[in-house]
Amino acid sequence: MNNASTAPIIIIGNGIAGTTFARHFRKKSNHPLLLISDENESFFSRTALMYVFMGHLRWNDLEPYEDRFWADNQIGRIKGRVTEIMSTEQKIVLKDGQALPYKKLVLATGSIPRDMGLKGENSQGVFRLYHKQDLEALDRWCKGKKKSVIVGGGLIGVELAEMLRSRKMEVTYLVRESHFWANALCVEEAQLIANHLSDHQVDLRFNCTLKAIETDRNGELSGCTTQDDQHLECDTMGITIGVRPNVDFLKNAGLNIDKGVVVDEYLTTNIPHIYAIGDCAQIAHPLPHRNAIEAVWYAGRMMGETLAETLTNSPTPYRPGHWFNSAKFFDIEYQTYGEILPLPTKNEAHFLWQSPQENKSLRFAYEKDSKIFKGVSSLGLRLRHEVFDQWLEEKITMTSLLEQLEKANFDPEFSRRYEKQISAKWKEHPHQ
Amino acid sequence: MERTPASIIQNYGQSLGLLLGGCGLLGLITPALVVEQPLPWTLGFSLFLMTAGVMLYSLSLYRGRLPGIKNNDVWIHPLTSRGWAGWLLASGLTVFYILIYFYPQHLGYHPEGNTGIVGLFDPLSVTLNGKPATQWFVYGLLYTLAIVVFGVKFIMKYQGQRYQIIRTLVLMFFQLGFAFFIPELLALLHPDTPYFAKDIKNMWPLNYYFFDQWHLKNMLNGGRLGLFFFLSGLAMTFLVSPFLTYRYGKRWYCSWVCGCGALAETAGDPFRQLSSKKISVWKLERWSIHVVLVLVVLSTISVIWSFLRKASPSAIINAEQFIFGVIGLLVVMLLILLFAFKNEMRTDARFTLISLGLLLLGLLLVRGWSGENNILFFSSYSFTKWYGFFIGAIFSGVLGVGFYPLLGSRVWCRFGCPMAAILGLQQRLFSRFRITTNGGQCISCGNCSAYCEMGIDVRAYAQRGQNIVRSSCVGCGICATVCPRGVLKLENGTISNRSITPSYPLGNTIDKQ
């Protein structure tokens, strides 16, 4: 306890949350920092794992900082797994038995993939796509493999589909819901994505879940059966039904854990000197427009930024601004700003524009009576974050927004422009 | 993570394309080396086979594919990831460059009568410009052909990307028309036209002999035409080019007009990811490009100075006025830099300052020590010769193009081109061009950095939400093209808001609290 004030600030997990925290902390304080990760020595872009598999990038290209960066900024790194937290002694214990004292402890342990609870889901040939090690194993496995099944209609599943298609494997894609990424996309957009996936020869099956996973005598995957008793032969399977906070190893530490580590608006846990940020954190009282657990890159980054302020003597509550997110489905980019639900609430209406020929669409959510703009999502069109953020802030009306829509265009120069079509469509729009 | 190298060909179309192209190449080399008098149609047939080979290869790669990023297996394919095929190609190109520059006789170039490969091109050369071929005619023709056929391949690869397609069509147009056909036709129609009027790239330092004594004399004694070329050359150098760079960034030249750029963007496109992104290489780049800049300015000014010393006393400006005029100008620039960019002294501007200081020192030395036939301690003749050797042959030829498959496609543009250096300086100091970032949406994936041919670590800016204002950026726009989240946009805006460095990327509200 005596040396606690000189002990380092230990960060468990070197993902976007932990690394962002370390970077911003270092800008304002010289206190020793120690990043611990069992996955990789350096921070890497998890969302870009697919590009290594497809050969667009090398592993090193995923690491945004050269090795010298860590030394130059005096950010210590340990490759190891934390097995225990002794909060009264302010120490953590590593797998090899080593105990390390901390002044403050930042939990940035991220997520782990959800399991289906089916027998055989951990047999050879069945994969998740989350960790570096998942990617390496999948890469080794895929040589010479031909038929795959993916379960789970979300962002990681579609990435996995693109990866496997890049190696010319057959992909059957099972989605539990009636349309693709149902908790974020509206039917029209989901249909557009589904068509695009078909163009890429992905065999998409909706309202379809897995009942059983079959293995051969060697314990290797040989096939699977769906809920409606269809048998699918396959040599590779991806289970991508979502993630949950990676908190199992913290269960005995006395922390308040619900789904994630529960934190207040300063990202502090119930135990002094311990904080949680990123995917593993569950905000006790989230802002009305945000969720308690947001397992997205951007939220992890912002929590890291915020906590760095707090731990360098300027206590700052975590108050993320307007929601935004982005994704890419094979060749179609998706962006969203503000609040736009798959089905509008009763006070809300949607306005949708779709290009007749191209894979492009733009959807707005607005308040029915006041016509105040609430959110936007786009497929195949790039939007300027800054402008939409400002419009959300100013609560402008749809009419005023559409008059100046070109300000928000972020497509490359010489791209076709659609503002006129969109405005014309708005004028015919029934709810306006 | 190590992946086994992909096989070089993926389907029959590609194999057939490679076979056709290979036959074309053999058809060009073998008959020329083996047979005294190759058949007259050999050249046409070989060029046709090479073109058809590339077309077939590209078609089988991209036909029927949906628009989108086509970088699958780039880091696995032996040609594009410094594998055996890359080394083989680099060796072949290097041998070709060494022959062209130093041993053209082995290619069959003989002023008294060509044989071999150069001899094959004689009929075409006579048709186009009225004279037998030289090794440079051969080179120019193959160079232009490469830009056109690989330009078509590029357009297929980037289908749906209008910025990329329009830019490539313009590059092909300038190469085919302005760099190849028009000069050849001018030579044919007016065989006695003075040299300066045949050379359309009339802009210093691209045309680094613009201010050389013989060139200046030719223009000044060349009547109205000469005066036109002299004045338009000055206008291009000091007015048009800085203005265009102010409006659009140096991309107006480097990735829309320039011939070196054209080859890099078309034939060199598969190798763009091989440029190094290390900070140490960025340092090397800044030293190298500024040394080239100082040398070019210094030698040009000394050449003008010695020209003026011999000019008649009635000339509008004498040598002393000229050199002190330039020194005065440089001092003013130095002071402006010191005040206007004092916050940016840690980066590019510091190099500019050092360069300017060295230039000033050099000029004073030139004034004291140079004579009619020497620049400082070197004779002007050997200076030109060595410049031609190191810069012209080794740098822009062997390293610049021969090493495409090893060092990436823009080595010359990045480390050695004086034109790019000057345009880059203008871009850094007073251009409306920048790459704007939707920094909030960046996932640090690294595609932008990996595919930047100039070795700029684009991601380092994007993930902080910082606009990219870099002297080396040629504005090819590939970073924005390959970005999976729509984070980057090339733009011309107002200068005042171009260098945005927010404390945090957009999304958080820390700075608003």
Side-chain angles (χ1 to χ4, degrees):
Chain A
M1 284 296 279
N2 290 339
N3 59 2
S5 60
T6 55
I9 291 180
I10 290 183
I11 306 139
I12 307 178
N14 66 358
I16 178 67
T19 301
T20 305
F21 166 79
R23 253 177 7 93
H24 284 276
F25 181 88
R26 183 50 83 234
K27 285 183 188 171
K28 299 193 169 175
S29 164
N30 291 321
H31 195 87
L33 284 171
L34 188 58
L35 268 170
I36 301 179
S37 166
D38 195 24
E39 186 181 13
N40 193 47
E41 285 86 351
S42 292
F43 166 57
F44 68 91
S45 174
R46 187 175 305 288
T47 42
L49 284 173
M50 61 184 293
Y51 295 111
V52 176
F53 186 89
M54 301 197 298
H56 295 208
L57 299 173
R58 296 160 296 177
W59 177 266
N60 288 348
D61 298 322
L62 297 195
E63 296 179 355
Y65 304 104
E66 283 183 46
D67 269 344
R68 52 176 285 181
F69 170 87
W70 308 101
D72 288 353
N73 288 288
Q74 296 174 318
I75 299 173
R77 290 177 295 164
I78 287 185
K79 189 160 191 284
R81 178 162 288 271
V82 177
T83 50
E84 199 189 337
I85 292 169
M86 304 193 293
S87 54
T88 41
E89 289 93 344
Q90 281 185 238
K91 276 182 182 165
I92 56 153
V93 182
L94 295 177
K95 200 176 179 182
D96 60 11
Q98 199 186 345
L100 299 170
Y102 63 81
K103 183 187 177 202
K104 308 271 178 195
L105 181 65
V106 179
L107 304 171
T109 58
S111 295
I112 48 171
R114 268 179 210 282
D115 284 334
M116 299 200 71
L118 284 179
K119 195 171 155 249
E121 70 179 321
N122 291 317
S123 49
Q124 280 193 65
V126 182
F127 294 90
R128 316 293 189 279
L129 182 64
Y130 188 85
H131 293 104
K132 178 190 186 187
Q133 288 72 21
D134 296 335
L135 188 78
E136 289 169 336
L138 182 68
D139 180 57
R140 282 192 300 271
W141 177 262
C142 279
K143 290 187 180 81
K145 298 293 187 291
K146 292 193 171 62
K147 280 180 187 244
S148 68
V149 169
I150 297 172
V151 188
L155 298 181
I156 300 183
V158 77
E159 283 181 5
L160 187 58
E162 185 175 354
M163 289 159 65
L164 298 178
R165 284 301 300 140
S166 82
R167 301 217 184 159
K168 312 237 166 25
M169 288 167 68
E170 285 176 31
V171 175
T172 306
Y173 190 174
L174 314 183
V175 176
R176 186 181 59 188
E177 294 77 16
S178 61
H179 68 266
F180 181 73
W181 202 23
N183 58 8
L185 291 184
C186 303
V187 177
E188 290 87 349
E189 283 90 338
Q191 185 58 48
L192 192 155
I193 301 294
N195 293 344
H196 184 61
L197 261 61
S198 302
D199 290 343
H200 278 282
Q201 280 101 47
V202 174
D203 178 7
L204 250 176
R205 306 197 184 172
F206 294 107
N207 302 309
C208 188
T209 54
L210 213 53
K211 193 163 83 181
I213 297 170
E214 290 124 33
T215 52
D216 63 14
R217 277 174 306 176
N218 307 321
E220 285 186 8
L221 174 77
S222 61
C224 60
T225 309
T226 62
Q227 209 75 56
D228 48 1
D229 287 323
Q230 264 189 304
H231 178 76
L232 298 168
E233 227 176 85
C234 60
D235 49 36
T236 307
M237 179 180 285
I239 297 179
T240 59
I241 53 167
V243 295
R244 62 183 178 90
N246 176 22
V247 294
D248 295 351
F249 77 104
L250 300 168
K251 287 271 153 73
N252 302 321
L255 285 160
N256 178 7
I257 293 177
D258 176 25
K259 287 186 177 109
V261 181
V262 180
V263 291
D264 65 11
E265 62 171 349
Y266 289 91
L267 304 166
T268 54
T269 65
N270 57 315
I271 298 180
H273 311 300
I274 302 185
Y275 306 81
I277 55 176
D279 288 13
C280 71
Q282 177 177 343
I283 311 282
H285 305 288
L287 297 175
H289 63 290
R290 310 288 300 212
N291 291 320
I293 297 177
E294 288 175 348
V296 291
W297 179 269
Y298 312 117
R301 192 194 73 214
M302 291 190 280
M303 287 190 212
E305 292 162 358
T306 309
L307 185 63
E309 289 287 327
T310 300
L311 295 192
T312 49
N313 299 323
S314 45
T316 307
Y318 174 59
R319 290 200 185 124
H322 301 285
W323 172 257
F324 63 95
N325 200 2
S326 64
K328 194 172 182 187
F329 311 103
F330 281 76
D331 306 317
I332 303 180
E333 288 172 23
Y334 161 82
Q335 292 189 339
T336 187
Y337 301 98
E339 212 173 337
I340 183 160
L341 302 164
L343 285 173
T345 61
K346 67 175 190 315
N347 301 324
E348 276 174 12
H350 281 185
F351 162 57
L352 172 69
W353 169 86
Q354 283 180 297
S355 160
Q357 301 95 18
E358 297 162 291
N359 287 329
K360 292 177 192 297
S361 73
L362 192 63
R363 180 186 291 269
F364 296 91
Y366 58 95
E367 276 173 18
K368 254 185 203 160
D369 303 331
S370 61
K371 306 280 184 296
I372 286 172
F373 162 65
K374 295 197 71 180
V376 63
S377 72
S378 72
L379 289 178
L381 294 172
R382 292 179 173 181
L383 306 175
R384 200 181 289 264
H385 190 168
E386 195 187 355
V387 172
F388 272 109
D389 199 64
Q390 196 189 337
W391 286 344
L392 287 164
E393 202 59 40
E394 291 169 358
K395 296 191 165 58
I396 67 169
T397 63
M398 282 299 291
T399 316
S400 140
L401 184 155
L402 286 165
E403 275 164 12
Q404 39 181 336
L405 186 58
E406 79 267 14
K407 280 190 199 164
N409 181 295
F410 206 66
D411 275 335
E413 293 155 292
F414 301 113
S415 297
R416 288 202 177 80
R417 302 298 289 259
Y418 304 92
E419 286 86 358
K420 276 186 192 148
Q421 280 185 41
I422 296 167
S423 290
K425 175 103 196 257
W426 170 253
K427 289 188 179 119
E428 302 160 9
H429 185 60
H431 299 296
Q432 75 145 319
Chain B
M1 213 175 93
E2 289 296 315
R3 275 190 58 184
T4 29
S7 95
I8 190 159
I9 39 175
Q10 315 259 327
N11 61 41
Y12 294 120
Q14 276 169 279
S15 331
L16 194 61
L18 271 181
L19 192 71
L20 283 184
C23 287
L25 196 61
L26 276 179
L28 206 59
I29 298 169
T30 329
L33 295 183
V34 182
V35 189
E36 282 285 303
Q37 286 288 317
L39 294 167
W41 44 264
T42 313
L43 175 70
F45 191 61
S46 302
L47 295 182
F48 171 76
L49 278 183
M50 284 157 70
T51 309
V54 177
M55 290 298 129
L56 191 62
Y57 186 90
S58 321
L59 272 175
S60 49
L61 256 181
Y62 305 126
R63 196 178 53 95
R65 301 270 303 275
L66 300 166
I69 303 307
K70 311 249 181 304
N71 286 334
N72 283 354
D73 288 353
V74 162
W75 279 110
I76 290 137
H77 197 287
L79 186 64
T80 54
S81 62
R82 295 192 196 102
W84 63 266
W87 281 92
L88 191 70
L89 181 62
S91 318
L93 286 171
T94 302
V95 168
F96 176 67
Y97 271 97
I98 289 172
L99 287 176
I100 283 261
Y101 275 102
F102 304 112
Y103 305 102
Q105 67 274 20
H106 294 316
L107 291 172
Y109 171 66
H110 303 288
E112 65 280 6
N114 291 327
T115 58
I117 296 178
V118 180
L120 269 184
F121 286 73
D122 272 345
L124 186 62
S125 180
V126 170
T127 317
L128 279 173
N129 62 33
K131 287 182 191 142
T134 63
Q135 82 272 34
W136 299 119
F137 178 80
V138 173
Y139 180 57
L141 188 101
L142 293 177
Y143 193 98
T144 306
L145 188 68
I147 289 172
V148 173
V149 295
F150 288 108
V152 173
K153 175 173 181 275
F154 182 97
I155 289 171
M156 289 189 213
K157 177 176 171 187
Y158 293 94
Q159 73 166 293
Q161 297 289 339
R162 289 169 43 104
Y163 179 79
Q164 299 304 346
I165 292 169
I166 294 171
R167 185 173 70 84
T168 306
L169 288 172
V170 172
L171 275 175
M172 288 157 74
F173 168 77
F174 272 102
Q175 177 63 29
L176 209 56
F178 282 72
F180 186 73
F181 274 120
I182 295 180
E184 298 292 338
L185 285 179
L186 279 178
L188 179 70
L189 299 175
H190 306 285
D192 52 349
T193 316
Y195 180 79
F196 62 80
K198 289 177 194 160
D199 193 4
I200 309 186
K201 54 174 198 327
N202 194 27
M203 171 169 59
W204 178 89
L206 176 66
N207 180 351
Y208 61 85
Y209 50 74
F210 185 85
F211 292 107
D212 277 12
Q213 206 151 336
W214 62 272
H215 195 252
L216 275 180
K217 259 192 190 148
N218 269 338
M219 287 193 292
L220 294 177
N221 299 331
R224 265 191 207 163
L225 192 63
L227 197 64
F228 169 75
F229 268 80
F230 178 65
L231 292 179
S232 68
L234 287 182
M236 280 303 289
T237 306
F238 295 107
L239 295 173
V240 179
S241 147
F243 177 72
L244 288 173
T245 308
Y246 157 73
R247 294 283 305 182
Y248 307 112
K250 82 193 223 189
R251 58 182 172 154
W252 77 265
Y253 186 72
C254 294
S255 63
W256 282 77
V257 172
C258 174
C260 298
L263 194 71
E265 295 294 336
T266 53
D269 174 68
F271 309 109
R272 55 173 58 249
Q273 68 283 356
L274 300 171
S275 62
S276 174
K277 277 81 190 179
K278 287 200 181 121
I279 293 174
S280 52
V281 177
W282 184 18
K283 273 198 183 132
L284 174 74
E285 167 196 318
R286 289 196 283 193
W287 279 107
S288 160
I289 202 79
H290 283 93
V291 166
V292 169
L293 197 62
V294 169
L295 283 180
V296 162
V297 175
L298 205 56
S299 66
T300 303
I301 289 173
S302 0
V303 166
I304 302 176
W305 185 67
S306 49
F307 175 80
L308 286 173
R309 286 216 314 178
K310 286 192 299 179
S312 71
S314 61
I316 47 168
I317 182 173
N318 70 36
E320 289 291 307
Q321 289 165 340
F322 169 72
I323 206 149
F324 282 109
V326 174
I327 289 175
L329 197 70
L330 289 175
V331 170
V332 171
M333 276 175 70
L334 204 73
L335 290 175
I336 292 177
L337 269 180
L338 269 172
F339 285 102
F341 289 86
K342 56 173 177 282
N343 297 329
E344 295 178 45
M345 282 307 152
R346 289 164 53 89
T347 56
D348 303 14
R350 191 183 56 178
F351 279 81
T352 311
L353 273 183
I354 297 173
S355 311
L356 282 174
L358 281 175
L359 264 181
L360 280 174
L361 196 70
L363 284 178
L364 291 170
L365 288 174
V366 163
R367 187 185 158 271
W369 296 91
S370 297
E372 199 170 302
N373 294 314
N374 68 301
I375 297 168
L376 295 176
F377 311 107
F378 316 100
S379 80
S380 336
Y381 172 73
S382 64
F383 185 86
T384 316
K385 199 177 145 204
W386 283 100
Y387 185 87
F389 174 74
F390 272 116
I391 304 298
I394 299 298
F395 217 146
S396 74
V398 177
L399 270 174
V401 179
F403 283 16
Y404 269 10
L406 304 177
L407 300 176
S409 50
R410 287 276 193 176
V411 173
W412 160 247
C413 315
R414 186 178 175 190
F415 299 98
C417 175
M419 187 71 200
I422 287 195
L423 294 179
L425 204 64
Q426 296 169 357
Q427 171 160 290
R428 184 71 186 78
L429 297 180
F430 58 79
S431 173
R432 290 157 19 106
F433 172 71
R434 88 292 305 271
I435 303 175
T436 310
T437 57
N438 250 355
Q441 296 275 30
C442 179
I443 52 166
S444 303
C445 70
N447 275 293
C448 52
S449 295
Y451 289 91
C452 176
E453 54 189 351
M454 292 303 281
I456 299 173
D457 188 2
V458 184
R459 165 175 58 190
Y461 300 82
Q463 66 192 0
R464 288 186 299 206
Q466 189 180 359
N467 285 356
I468 296 146
V469 181
R470 277 279 290 270
S471 49
S472 63
C473 175
V474 293
C476 70
I478 293 291
C479 57
T481 303
V482 297
C483 175
R485 304 297 179 110
V487 171
L488 300 159
K489 179 172 163 68
L490 280 65
E491 280 190 304
N492 312 307
T494 52
I495 291 185
S496 57
N497 72 357
R498 66 177 187 153
S499 323
I500 296 169
T501 312
S503 327
Y504 301 99
L506 201 56
N508 214 338
T509 60
I510 295 176
D511 16 17
K512 291 173 194 155
Q513 284 179 29

